[in-house]
Every structure is written in structure tokens, then in C-alpha cells.
Amino acid sequence: MQVKTITAALTIAAISAALFLCCGKAQRPRPPEPIGIGAESPFASFRDIPGVTVEEIADIEALQKKRSSFVYGMPPNSEAFLDAENNGGVRGFSALFCEWLTGLFQISFNPALYAWSDMIGGLERREIDFTGDLMATEERRASYLMTDAIAVRALALFRISGAPPISKIAGSRPPRFAFLKNSAAFAAVNAVAEMPFDPVFVSGFPEAYEALASGEADAFISAGISEASFIAYGDVVSEVFFPMVYNS
């Protein structure tokens, strides 16, 4: 499977170039210092990656003849956002990462924005070829080809401004924490939470805001890059979730 070959080559490149960070764990991991995407790549081509095999090179060269582009799907966030001054093009870390992959493999990696609820379906329909938004878990590795981490994101807690603090709520009842359906955040938080809580599952960020505004949820927990999804509402504040959990 030639896409699998690219995934393997990506992993080798990531480890060798130190562009991919260590996979996150739910025990306050210490993320290593990254080399920014803007830094000069040590590889002019995938052929220069240490450890890449002759068979992998041949598979990728064959894929270059069959595919002119890949879709790199991401939900709108602070790593992937539309630039109104750039004809609506996607900008941010994800766009820079796609530029690096395009240069590495000489196949266009095109960033595209999808609602979270459409991400899994897009992968299953082969509409999305790659994404940088799924935390690696054993369950997901059984279904998807996954490289090492390309980023380490701290989980954040989002609340309506002026709402009672979680510590006060916890004094009378378990707080209600909302999570995206099919995300890995719930399992990660459940493994380290220092207080009991009741989970609420939502299908996307608009529904997460509705749950916060209505009081159905006291807080929404997701990667910190999700803050971009709440800017338009004007009344959502965020803070780093403790104990710290890194979504890789």
C-alpha cells in the first residue's frame, strides 16, 4: 500500500529531523524542544531520509505518477484557519507543514478545513488522505496508519466568562465536562482527573458552546488550539487543564 509507505517514510523523517515530538502520555510528560517547521529541512527529498528503503523509494515514485495531490484535513483552529487576505487560503502551522511535505515528496499536500464531525467520515470515505488532528491511541492505531506526533498540544478547559469556578462547583456536585465525540480527550482526562466529573459528549464546537451557554456543561475540554472556534462568541475563556495532559 503506497500511502502506507509514505506514512512510514514520514515517521522516519520525523524522528530523524526532530520535527515530530514524542507521543503524549497522561502523566505530565515533558515535551522535547521542537525544531520549527520554518527551520531549514535537513532533507532535500524523501530519498535522503536515513533508513528509507529501496522498496519504499520505488513505491513513492510509483505513487508520484498516480497521484498529483493529497488532502490534509483539519478542523478550523489556531493551527489551520482561513486567511481573508489570501483569497481564503488555509494558513497556520498546518499549511506550513503541508508545504514541507509537498517539498519532501513532490506531491501536493493541500490543507482543507472540515468540521470535527466530518473528520472520521472523511477519512473512511478516502476523501481525506491525511490529518494532523487525531491523537495516537492503541485503538486508533488498529484502524489507521499513524506516524509519531507532529505536535504536542496541552488540553485546555473552556468556560463561559463569569461562570462559577470549577473548584466551587466541585464542592457541591461533580462538575460536568463536555468532550467531542470520538475524540481521545475524554480517556486522557479520565485517567488523570483529580476530581469526579460527569461527561457530556458533543458533536462539534457549536454544540459545545450551546452546552456551555445553557449550563448543560460547566466546561468543555479540548486541545488548546480549539480556542479559535470560540472567538466569534466573545464570552468564552480558557485555561490550561490541570493536571496537564498533552494531546499529541
Side-chain angles (χ1 to χ4, degrees), residues 146-159:
M146 305 190 80
T147 71
D148 288 337
I150 62 170
V152 175
R153 308 156 179 144
L155 291 186
L157 186 147
F158 299 87
R159 299 185 302 115

Side-chain angles (χ1 to χ4, degrees), residues 154-157 177 188-189 192-194 221 239-245:
L155 291 186
L157 186 147
F177 291 156
V189 170
V192 300
E194 297 176 340
I221 299 178
E239 59 191 76
V240 175
F241 175 82
F242 287 100
M244 291 189 73
V245 176

Side-chain angles (χ1 to χ4, degrees), residues 75 114-122 125 180-182 202-205:
Y114 286 80
W116 168 257
S117 56
D118 295 332
M119 288 286 293
I120 300 299
R125 295 190 300 270
L180 291 173
K181 295 176 182 176
N182 299 318
V202 296
S203 61
F205 297 106

